Amino acid sequence: MHQLGRAAVAACGFAWASLFGFAAVADNQTPTTTPITVGGQSLPFGLKLQRVDTGGKLPTLQSFASAQYGNLWVLLGGRTNGLHDFTSDPLKNFPPSEQNRRIWVIDPTTWQVWSRSIKDSGLTGDQVDQLSATNYEHDTIGDTLYVVGGYGYQRSTKKFVTFPVMTAIDVPALVKWVQEPGSSPRLAKLIRQTTSETLRVTGGQMMIFGKRAVLAFGQDL
């Protein structure tokens, strides 16, 4: 089981205990707190952060979906303008012009970067909007990246939506599509999609347990 999976299961179990096993002092608050230890004296591990010079080549993205193919990173969707605003106007909070409409492939050993726009790729307008949404649930099984939901602007309805869509993407073919634009089929040939209200989610976490995928938490905005 993934480390994130174990953490999520433990969190769910603890939440159940909080709701039904004993009285909590406040909403989502346990009766006791874990002491904060500075310096890691009582911890079996330590953390060290080190700045890496990428030469300013990386895209400025957040809340994207990602996969790894060999030593390459593959990024899609997300936003380019950092933390969103919190006004009552979603066009100001999530301006459509700042949605990431490119697929990025990055080699972290050399920081070489490739990218290609999804706007001229054989996709429909709704597919482009879903694949440039933000805050998906996603995971990889073998060479297939599964991207679920996401929040963004749908131009066909002129509304912000949480997309009820799961997209399965052939990662090796996607990397070739980005790196060799003249020798690969259109992006529409490399994906499969299905629609269901169960898939209408943004945020949270997608985890694989054996042959099943679990969509844990998230929102329907």
Side-chain angles (χ1 to χ4, degrees), residues 79-128:
R79 301 195 56 80
T80 63
N81 63 329
L83 179 65
H84 61 80
D85 285 335
F86 296 88
T87 73
S88 59
D89 184 353
L91 285 172
K92 292 182 179 180
N93 297 337
F94 298 92
S97 61
E98 304 299 333
Q99 292 180 207
N100 172 40
R101 300 187 187 276
R102 304 188 71 84
I103 308 291
W104 296 85
V105 175
I106 301 168
D107 185 342
T109 63
T110 62
W111 298 119
Q112 185 174 358
V113 177
W114 301 262
S115 75
R116 187 174 176 184
S117 172
I118 65 174
K119 291 188 289 185
D120 182 22
S121 56
L123 300 175
T124 67
D126 282 350
Q127 287 176 318
V128 170

Side-chain angles (χ1 to χ4, degrees), residues 123-131 154-157 163 193:
L123 300 175
T124 67
D126 282 350
Q127 287 176 318
V128 170
D129 291 339
Q130 193 270 328
L131 290 176
Q154 188 174 47
R155 289 168 292 174
S156 62
T157 61
F163 291 92
Q193 288 188 314

Side-chain angles (χ1 to χ4, degrees), residues 182-202:
S183 62
S184 56
R186 306 196 83 181
L187 181 58
K189 299 290 186 180
L190 309 181
I191 69 172
R192 295 174 289 120
Q193 288 188 314
T194 187
T195 301
S196 169
E197 286 303 307
T198 303
L199 305 170
R200 194 185 293 276
V201 63
T202 185

Side-chain angles (χ1 to χ4, degrees), residues 20-69:
F20 300 101
F22 49 82
V25 297
D27 288 345
N28 304 312
Q29 176 64 54
T30 56
T32 59
T33 59
T34 302
I36 298 175
T37 303
V38 179
Q41 296 92 336
S42 63
L43 299 176
F45 62 88
L47 295 177
K48 180 180 180 181
L49 300 180
Q50 181 175 346
R51 184 182 295 273
V52 176
D53 182 8
T54 64
K57 300 177 182 179
L58 300 188
T60 55
L61 298 181
Q62 63 139 336
S63 301
F64 49 84
S66 64
Q68 186 164 343
Y69 176 61

